[in-house]
């Protein structure tokens, strides 16, 4: 270890250069990880907030299920009362992206989530009042909409439809498809979803259909029982985490960002391995001298790994700090989220693949010939 540190000091320029590369790779992996998490949250945070175990869609709606599939009210009643599902809870859920303008001229995009007041999907209100069935035209906005200028007491008019909604409360940050969420009653959601611009439609004229059903099933519900219930009621039920894929753009974004991360994890060991391979070739005479003086192969291996560990660990730590700084600088201006647990696991993976790259040079270290220093190579 002493010799390893001496070499680090003697050739600090080379090791600083290599360390800088590790810093940049680690920072880039951390930043990509932050954008991956942030984009995912910005797409499905409203779904993550649902205290549901499963989501039931209409059978046959394989893509963009929240926008294309429609489940009717009898299906909700049937699932809720299905004896094979035990004490299952089922409540309608409507999801639509629309646009509105307040009476103060503030224009906003919003994802209208239709929930039944008092149901387990009802988020309540952090400030103001929650949804109330006696006031079907009330709306509870997420904090992003409040940040954009919508206030409690405002009247929000849905564009093209002329539906006037009274802002009665606010709740935490939640979004769907990169659009801030606002919660309305299921009757209001049906009005938004099924009303044709310019038409005079009464609630009785609107179909009793919803985007999906939110379910809370007993823990002992098995997939076979659930599949049988789906066949009986014409639904397709998936765990809540799988329902995230129904959000617009979620799968494509995850695939893109994960692919970038994968390539970075492949690049890191190659870069580190190439550097230490060249470094090992350059100091072959010194390694041969150590072998001729009686140093064991194990000691040379420890010597090489110590140098790699110092360079990779220091570079990864600096990269983590840089990625965290980027997260602080961008703030809430872009969808970036890098929790400490995610940062730690990502940087740990970077360090491991970096050390794996340095391991590619170990064979040359162990096979160095001590006779080189005694003139056998002449």
């Amino acid at each position: 270890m002493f010799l390893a540190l001496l070499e680090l000091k003697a050739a600090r320029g080379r090791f600083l250069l290599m360390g800088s590369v590790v810093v940049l790779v680690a920072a880039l992996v951390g930043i990509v990880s932050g954008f991956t998490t942030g984009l995912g949250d910005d797409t499905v945070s409203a779904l993550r907030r649902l205290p549901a175990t499963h989501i039931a869609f209409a059978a046959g709606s394989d893509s963009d299920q929240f926008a294309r599939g429609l489940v009717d009210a009898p299906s909700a009643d049937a699932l809720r009362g299905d004896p094979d599902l035990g004490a299952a809870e089922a409540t309608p859920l409507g999801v639509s992206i629309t646009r509105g303008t307040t009476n103060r001229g503030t224009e906003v995009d919003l994802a209208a989530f239709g929930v039944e007041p008092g149901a387990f999907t009802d988020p309540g209100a952090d400030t103001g009042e929650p949804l109330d069935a006696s006031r079907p035209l009330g709306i509870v906005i997420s904090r992003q909409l409040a940040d954009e200028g919508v206030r409690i007491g405002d009247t929000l008019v849905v564009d093209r439809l002329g539906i006037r909604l009274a802002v009665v409360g606010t709740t935490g940050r939640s979004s769907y498809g990169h659009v801030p969420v606002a919660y309305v009653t299921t009757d209001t959601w049906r009005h938004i979803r099924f009303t044709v611009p310019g038409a005079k439609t009464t609630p009785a004229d609107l179909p009793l259909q919803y985007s999906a059903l939110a379910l809370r099933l007993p823990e002992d519900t098995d997939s076979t029982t659930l599949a049988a219930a789906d066949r009986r009621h014409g639904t397709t039920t998936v765990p809540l985490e799988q329902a995230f894929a129904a959000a617009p753009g979620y799968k494509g974004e995850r695939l893109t960002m994960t692919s970038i991360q994968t390539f970075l994890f492949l690049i890191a060991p190659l870069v580190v391995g190439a550097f230490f391979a060249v470094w090992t070739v350059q100091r072959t005479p010194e390694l041969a001298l150590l072998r001729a003086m009686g140093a064991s192969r194990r000691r040379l291996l420890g010597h090489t790994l110590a140098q790699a560990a110092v360079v990779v660990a220091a570079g990864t730590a600096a990269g983590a700090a840089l990625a965290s700084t980027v997260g602080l600088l961008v703030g809430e201006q872009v969808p970036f989220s890098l929790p400490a647990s995610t940062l730690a696991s990502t940087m740990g993976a970077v360090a491991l693949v970096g050390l794996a790259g340095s391991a590619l040079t170990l064979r040359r270290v162990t096979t160095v010939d001590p006779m080189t220093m005694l003139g056998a190579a002449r």
Side-chain angles (χ1 to χ4, degrees), residues 54-137:
H54 294 74
I55 300 293
F57 297 101
S61 54
D62 297 328
S63 62
D64 203 5
Q65 292 157 298
F66 282 112
R68 298 181 181 180
L70 290 172
V71 181
D72 55 27
S75 296
D77 296 334
L79 280 171
R80 191 182 295 119
D82 194 312
D84 291 343
L85 297 180
E89 296 180 71
T91 183
L93 176 66
V95 178
S96 293
I97 295 179
T98 185
R99 184 172 177 81
T101 306
T102 68
N103 56 308
R104 294 184 294 106
T106 302
E107 298 182 359
V108 291
D109 294 315
L110 66 147
F113 267 46
V115 299
E116 291 185 335
F120 65 84
T121 51
D122 184 357
D126 296 337
T127 59
E129 300 178 1
L131 294 175
D132 190 339
S134 64
R135 294 183 301 173
L137 293 180

Side-chain angles (χ1 to χ4, degrees), residues 10-205:
R12 55 181 174 272
R14 299 178 188 178
F15 283 105
L16 283 174
L17 179 61
M18 181 58 213
S20 300
V21 175
V22 176
V23 169
L24 294 177
V25 172
L28 188 54
V29 172
I31 292 170
V32 171
S33 180
F35 279 118
T36 301
T37 305
L39 287 170
D41 288 342
D42 204 45
T43 304
V44 298
S45 62
L47 297 178
R48 283 199 177 106
R49 289 190 64 188
L50 291 175
T53 60
H54 294 74
I55 300 293
F57 297 101
S61 54
D62 297 328
S63 62
D64 203 5
Q65 292 157 298
F66 282 112
R68 298 181 181 180
L70 290 172
V71 181
D72 55 27
S75 296
D77 296 334
L79 280 171
R80 191 182 295 119
D82 194 312
D84 291 343
L85 297 180
E89 296 180 71
T91 183
L93 176 66
V95 178
S96 293
I97 295 179
T98 185
R99 184 172 177 81
T101 306
T102 68
N103 56 308
R104 294 184 294 106
T106 302
E107 298 182 359
V108 291
D109 294 315
L110 66 147
F113 267 46
V115 299
E116 291 185 335
F120 65 84
T121 51
D122 184 357
D126 296 337
T127 59
E129 300 178 1
L131 294 175
D132 190 339
S134 64
R135 294 183 301 173
L137 293 180
I139 182 173
V140 174
I141 61 172
S142 60
R143 199 167 67 196
Q144 294 102 307
L145 288 172
D147 293 341
E148 292 181 18
V150 184
R151 300 287 182 265
I152 294 176
D154 285 354
T155 298
L156 183 67
V157 182
V158 179
D159 288 358
R160 299 185 305 111
L161 302 180
I163 302 173
R164 302 175 66 84
L165 305 174
V167 181
V168 297
T170 66
T171 185
R173 299 185 66 85
S174 59
S175 54
Y176 172 81
H178 305 298
V179 179
V181 166
Y183 297 89
V184 297
T185 64
T186 49
D187 287 341
T188 299
W189 177 84
R190 290 191 300 119
H191 201 180
I192 295 172
R193 173 68 173 79
F194 297 113
T195 299
V196 177
K200 296 184 178 298
T201 306
T202 64
D205 298 329

Side-chain angles (χ1 to χ4, degrees), residues 284-353:
T284 297
E286 289 83 356
L287 293 175
L289 177 60
L290 290 173
R291 286 286 289 128
M293 294 174 64
S296 65
R297 289 187 175 90
R298 179 179 297 179
R299 186 172 184 180
L300 293 184
L301 285 176
H303 170 81
T304 303
L305 287 175
Q307 287 181 338
V310 170
V311 173
V312 172
T316 302
L322 181 57
S324 299
T325 302
V326 170
L328 293 175
L329 291 176
V330 298
E332 295 182 355
Q333 300 175 11
V334 295
F336 187 94
S337 176
L338 192 58
S341 58
T342 302
L343 179 62
S345 60
T346 302
M347 293 302 106
V350 172
L352 286 176
V353 297

Side-chain angles (χ1 to χ4, degrees), residues 255-276:
L255 179 61
T256 300
M257 303 306 288
T258 303
S259 299
I260 295 173
Q261 278 186 303
T262 301
F263 278 108
L264 289 174
F265 280 125
L266 293 175
I267 291 171
L270 294 178
V271 171
V272 175
F275 171 81
F276 278 100

